[in-house]
Amino acid sequence: MTYLPDLIARLERGDRLPADPWLTVLPAPRPDRAAVLAFPGRVVVAAAVTPRWVAAALPSDDLGAPLNPPFLSALEAELGLAVNNVDVLLLAGPLQGDPPEPLRPAPGHDHPRAARARRYRDDVEVLQADGGVLILGRGLAGRHEAAVEVDPAHRGTGLGRRLAASARHLTSDGRPVWAQVAPGNAASLRAFLAAGYTPVGAEALLLPPGLALG
């Protein structure tokens, strides 16, 4: 059986997932989590449900259905979890040398973005720049994940792009960096694209209801 870390590793190597079968059901990433991931021609449901349950809840020929509200709502009800968001998934390889933006550690930083990251990522590290923060952590299946936040007074200066690019210089094991961006957050999406990240799919994470808020 394929497990989620194996699938993530294949994507990080640049492999294209086979489109047959178009739908795969994998074990949940952890007992209190679930995820629905969509890639070109392939959808993955990683949750504590059976393939029979998933097949009964989905049309047989609609690749968009797993990330649409009817299926996600059914999954919420079945698992007692809540959808956090439906995000664009972006991926970028590591880079050598110093990051383009000077950063300093900010342990215990109370920025709302940092507090949110600590609710669903492990090994969260907060790095402060003048006018923004970069948050690094271990997310789904242990992948490196990055998030940025730019203070209003510093927006439009390229700081978001530099922070996103800096994350690519800060992985110690040579693995790529992932980012999850809400489709409506056009400024953040532009920043990550400008920093060399490539859109690879979409994702909905399901968390305990108290964690999914905010």
Side-chain angles (χ1 to χ4, degrees), residues 128-152:
Q128 180 81 45
D130 291 335
V133 293
L134 168 64
I135 298 99
L136 304 173
R138 291 282 191 168
L140 188 69
R143 68 191 181 191
H144 290 297
E145 295 181 358
V148 305
E149 185 76 20
V150 176
D151 298 341

Side-chain angles (χ1 to χ4, degrees), residues 113-206:
R113 172 73 73 167
R116 183 174 182 269
R118 292 188 183 100
R119 293 203 293 269
Y120 59 94
R121 292 191 181 109
D122 298 321
D123 303 328
V124 171
E125 182 181 8
V126 182
L127 299 169
Q128 180 81 45
D130 291 335
V133 293
L134 168 64
I135 298 99
L136 304 173
R138 291 282 191 168
L140 188 69
R143 68 191 181 191
H144 290 297
E145 295 181 358
V148 305
E149 185 76 20
V150 176
D151 298 341
H154 290 79
R155 291 173 185 169
T157 65
L159 178 58
R161 172 184 51 79
R162 295 193 300 275
L163 289 172
S166 294
R168 304 179 62 189
H169 293 262
L170 298 174
T171 60
S172 60
D173 56 6
R175 287 184 62 181
V177 183
W178 295 77
Q180 302 143 287
V181 179
N185 190 348
S188 183
L189 191 55
R190 288 194 298 268
F192 277 95
L193 292 173
Y197 289 70
T198 300
V200 295
E203 174 181 279
L205 298 180
L206 290 87

Side-chain angles (χ1 to χ4, degrees), residues 9 11 18 23 39 43 57-58 66 81-82 86 89 94 96 121 129 136 161 164 181 184 193 197 208:
L11 292 164
L23 178 65
F39 305 101
V43 175
L58 284 173
L81 301 175
V86 177
L89 272 179
Q96 300 298 315
R121 292 191 181 109
L136 304 173
R161 172 184 51 79
V181 179
L193 292 173
Y197 289 70

Side-chain angles (χ1 to χ4, degrees), residues 96-117:
Q96 300 298 315
D98 295 329
E101 183 66 25
L103 298 165
R104 54 190 181 274
H109 197 287
D110 61 357
H111 191 285
R113 172 73 73 167
R116 183 174 182 269

